[in-house]
Amino acid sequence: MTTTASASGRTGQFPFDFAPQRTQDADLLGQLNFVPGLKEVLTLRQVHALEHATVWVLSQSGGTATASADNDLLGGMSTDQGFYLYGRVNIAQLRQAVREALQRIASGEWDLAVHPRCGTNLSVGMLLTAGLAVCINLALPRGPILQLLGLGAAAAAAAELAPDVGALAQRYVTTAIPFNLGVVDISVTHDFWGREAHFVRVRWVE
C-alpha cells in the first residue's frame, strides 16, 4: 500500500499483544486453499510489512535497533508479486536493506511492520471522518450552523484518532509478518503509471 502523507515517529505505540506464529499463514492457506485469491491476499499482507520494514531500515541512521527515524523522501506500493520503492536510493543499499529488514522483522522486530506514512492511515482517517460526520448529522438539529460546527468537530476528532487507529489497522489487518517471503530480485523499473521505481520481487516460501 502506498505511503502518502509526510510524518515521522516510532512504531511501538501498539506492541503486538501476541507472538505471530511462523506457520500461521501457511497453515491457513493449507486449510483454505480452495478459497480464490487467498494466497494473493496473504502474500500482499506480508509484502506490505516487508515494504514498511525496508523503508524503516533505509531511513535509520547507524542501524539502531528500533524504528526511530523516518525519511519522507521514500515511499512504497505493495503488490502480491513484490513492492515498488520510490525515491533516490542506491540499489546496492536497497539490496542490503531488504535482506536486513526481512531478517529483523522475522526475528522479532514486529513493530517494523507499521509505518506512520502508510496509506492505511489516510483511508482510516477518511472512514472516521465520514462515520463521525454521519453520526453528528443524525444527532444534531438540522440548523446549518450546528451542522457545520458538528462537521468541524468530526474532522478534528478523526484527525486525532486516525494515527492510532491506522496503526492498529496496519498491525492486525493490512500487514502480516513476512515469514513466507523470499526475495527473488531487485530491479529498476516503472510502475503502472510509468513512474520510475525499484521493484523488489518476492516469492512465497512454505
Side-chain angles (χ1 to χ4, degrees):
M1 186 167 295
T2 308
T3 51
T4 52
S6 174
S8 63
R10 297 174 64 95
T11 60
Q13 294 178 350
F14 297 100
F16 278 83
D17 53 13
F18 64 93
Q21 301 300 306
R22 287 187 169 273
T23 62
Q24 61 188 19
D25 281 358
D27 290 346
L28 182 62
L29 185 61
Q31 295 168 5
L32 301 175
N33 60 0
F34 57 88
V35 177
L38 177 61
K39 185 174 183 179
E40 287 75 14
V41 171
L42 296 176
T43 302
L44 178 59
R45 294 178 71 229
Q46 293 197 21
V47 171
H48 193 189
L50 179 59
E51 174 208 320
H52 288 174
T54 300
V55 171
W56 276 125
V57 171
L58 287 169
S59 299
Q60 291 166 356
S61 58
T64 54
T66 58
S68 57
D70 179 26
N71 184 344
D72 60 13
L73 299 180
L74 296 176
M77 182 179 68
S78 294
T79 74
D80 63 347
Q81 300 296 314
F83 67 89
Y84 293 92
L85 185 76
Y86 305 97
R88 299 180 64 179
V89 60
N90 179 280
I91 194 167
Q93 289 178 314
L94 178 57
R95 288 194 176 99
Q96 181 178 351
V98 171
R99 287 196 299 269
E100 180 182 341
L102 187 57
Q103 187 276 326
R104 286 172 58 180
I105 195 171
S107 296
E109 293 187 52
W110 301 320
D111 283 352
L112 292 173
V114 178
H115 199 282
R117 290 189 293 111
C118 178
T120 300
N121 288 17
L122 177 61
S123 299
V124 166
M126 293 171 64
L127 287 173
L128 284 173
T129 301
L132 290 171
V134 168
C135 292
I136 288 176
N137 177 263
L138 294 174
L140 291 177
R142 295 296 179 181
I145 295 178
L146 283 177
Q147 287 291 319
L148 285 174
L149 290 175
L151 289 174
E160 182 68 24
L161 293 172
D164 290 348
V165 178
L168 287 172
Q170 288 182 62
R171 192 175 301 280
Y172 297 112
V173 180
T174 65
T175 70
I177 305 305
F179 292 131
N180 300 103
L181 294 187
V183 178
V184 176
D185 60 47
I186 300 173
S187 59
V188 178
T189 184
H190 292 82
D191 67 9
F192 313 110
W193 298 278
R195 297 176 299 180
E196 184 173 299
H198 289 85
F199 187 69
V200 180
R201 187 174 303 279
V202 302
R203 61 186 176 89
W204 181 270
V205 179
E206 297 293 343

